[in-house]
Amino acid sequence: MNFDVAIVGGGIVGAACAYALSRDGLKVAVIESAGVASGTTAAGMGHIVVMDDSEAQFALTQYSQRLWNELVPELPKLAEFENCGTIWVAANDEEMTEVRRKHGFYAERGIKSEILDETSLRAAEPNLRQGLAGGLLVAGDSVVYQLFATRFLIDTAKQNGAVLMVGKNVVGIDADAVLLSDGTKVECGKVVNAAGFAAAELSPGLKIAKRKGHLIITERYPDLARHQLVELGYLKSAHGSATDSVAFNVQPRSTGQVLLGSSRQFGAEDGEIDHAILRRMTARAFEYMPTLKTLSTVRVWTGFRPATPDNLPYIGAMPGQADVYVAAGHEGLGITTSLGTGELIADAILGRQSAIPAEPYSPAREIEEH
């Protein structure tokens, strides 16, 4: 079969690209080596959050969050979309300075947030320890169960005529075809490389590093946490260059379970649980929420996030590869930014104006065309 677009990767980013492109009438194939949402997507927390590390990150996360909110009426209940909000927790007066900065940044750009002092923080989240300085409540943030959200996007794309090919290993990309390990070709007009941390193998020149992370899911403990809770130190942890880092990050699930993170490791290639990192991660969580010590764990797992040098994803045309587009390198924000990424890719392929400037995410910022 010949397709208008072949998408390499069946994670949430590839699914969002398929959703947008098939909706706009293109004949799409999604090629996935293992299973839908079986890689990095499965290892995420499903936090849909507006971030402010840079203007470009803010623009993409805000745009994507708006798209998620518009999609809510169509999402199945199994996607467990919940507008729980985020509280960025400040441990001391220095971090309260950062709370005020974030509050001002959001206010200037139309995002509502509320500064919490120690008393109001305890009222909002009684299970946090005493003595925390306060925090910033961003009520517009949400969570979603990304596995079912991804399947919804894929299923909708299939209803629009897209074809899903599972168990197919892609070994190369040509100008007009995707090459599979069994020697066959999937002929297409354009290719979208949405292969996560493996994207750099198919499009040499991309700078994508693997970051290993751990997550824990508990038994059901309703109302233990009411919001997504993230320590302000998470920002330094998530984007620093240290080999190993941990941070307090707790998410309430609609099932009553608690999802606990987070950790990041560079240079770790195996998917085995690193018990030393796990101990550091849980110890950090206990500092903020001592009640977590009493919870029973259902499962612990790891995954790999695709990180870029400037913490922005690659979205757009690949220099030096005609008709090849990239949608990869989203690190810990792939769930949030998936829908915005899909729209930007569709805009680029169809040659139309995007809702936000696309240049900051262009792969050309790192790659010289040869």
Side-chain angles (χ1 to χ4, degrees):
M1 297 178 68
N2 192 294
F3 298 91
D4 295 323
V5 184
I7 299 169
V8 182
I12 196 164
V13 171
C17 292
Y19 174 84
L21 290 164
S22 65
R23 177 205 61 210
D24 291 337
L26 297 182
K27 190 175 181 181
V28 174
V30 179
I31 307 169
E32 166 58 37
S33 61
V36 171
S38 61
T40 297
T41 299
M45 292 187 80
H47 192 190
I48 300 173
V49 55
V50 173
M51 296 288 284
D52 65 334
D53 280 8
S54 66
E55 291 289 353
Q57 187 190 70
F58 173 82
L60 183 58
T61 54
Q62 183 193 36
Y63 175 44
S64 297
Q65 186 182 79
R66 176 169 64 80
L67 294 172
W68 274 109
N69 290 339
E70 291 172 358
L71 189 63
V72 168
E74 299 177 43
L75 287 173
K77 288 185 178 180
L78 289 173
E80 298 176 17
F81 187 96
E82 295 227 348
N83 176 222
C84 62
T86 301
I87 297 180
W88 295 92
V89 182
N92 50 44
D93 290 341
E94 180 183 356
E95 292 186 353
M96 282 302 294
T97 300
E98 173 64 8
V99 162
R100 289 185 284 272
R101 185 205 67 78
K102 285 175 74 71
H103 176 69
F105 182 97
Y106 288 145
E108 290 172 0
R109 292 157 182 82
I111 301 296
K112 293 181 180 179
S113 65
E114 178 185 353
I115 296 175
L116 306 177
D117 61 14
E118 180 180 354
T119 301
S120 54
L121 176 64
R122 286 280 294 172
E125 291 289 347
N127 286 306
L128 286 172
R129 71 167 171 84
Q130 295 185 6
L132 293 168
L136 184 71
L137 169 61
V138 186
D141 291 346
S142 304
V143 299
V144 68
Y145 186 34
Q146 68 273 18
L147 273 66
F148 278 98
T150 303
R151 289 170 188 166
F152 165 79
L153 294 173
I154 288 286
D155 288 345
T156 303
K158 289 168 67 177
Q159 291 170 13
N160 292 332
V163 174
L164 174 63
M165 304 178 182
V166 176
K168 304 294 183 181
N169 293 304
V170 175
V171 295
I173 294 173
D174 279 349
D176 59 356
V178 172
L179 313 179
L180 305 183
S181 59
D182 62 7
T184 61
K185 289 185 177 182
V186 178
E187 296 181 353
C188 55
K190 300 182 187 300
V191 179
V192 177
N193 182 354
F197 60 78
E201 299 173 15
L202 298 172
S203 299
L206 295 178
K207 297 177 182 177
I208 297 178
K210 292 167 67 175
R211 281 184 173 176
K212 182 179 178 180
H214 290 69
L215 287 175
I216 299 170
I217 190 82
T218 73
E219 292 281 7
R220 288 173 168 79
Y221 298 93
D223 296 324
L224 186 90
R226 301 168 181 171
H227 308 80
Q228 177 98 19
L229 302 175
V230 191
E231 66 164 291
L232 274 167
Y234 171 88
L235 299 177
K236 294 179 182 178
S237 161
H239 302 308
S241 58
T243 302
D244 298 342
S245 63
V246 299
F248 169 64
N249 190 352
V250 160
Q251 180 182 105
R253 300 303 311 174
S254 62
T255 57
Q257 295 173 286
V258 176
L259 190 57
L260 173 64
S262 64
S263 71
R264 279 172 167 78
Q265 295 172 274
F266 274 120
E269 295 294 327
D270 67 82
E272 297 298 317
I273 294 169
D274 185 328
H275 292 280
I277 280 287
L278 199 62
R279 284 192 293 271
R280 283 180 55 190
M281 189 179 86
T282 53
R284 186 67 173 171
F286 298 159
E287 290 178 22
Y288 282 80
M289 188 174 275
T291 308
L292 291 170
K293 292 181 181 180
T294 66
L295 273 55
S296 298
T297 297
V298 172
R299 187 165 73 95
V300 178
W301 69 97
T302 68
F304 292 95
R305 305 175 181 96
T308 65
D310 61 2
N311 303 314
L312 291 174
Y314 297 124
I315 308 171
M318 180 70 186
Q321 285 188 283
D323 294 322
V324 175
Y325 296 77
V326 181
H330 296 72
E331 217 267 303
L333 290 171
I335 311 304
T336 290
T337 58
S338 56
L339 296 185
T341 297
E343 294 300 323
L344 290 177
I345 288 292
D347 294 338
I349 288 176
L350 294 169
R352 65 193 180 198
Q353 184 68 36
S354 296
I356 62 172
E359 291 78 10
Y361 323 107
S362 170
R365 72 184 190 272
E366 297 282 357
I367 303 164
E368 294 184 3
E369 188 169 353
H370 296 289

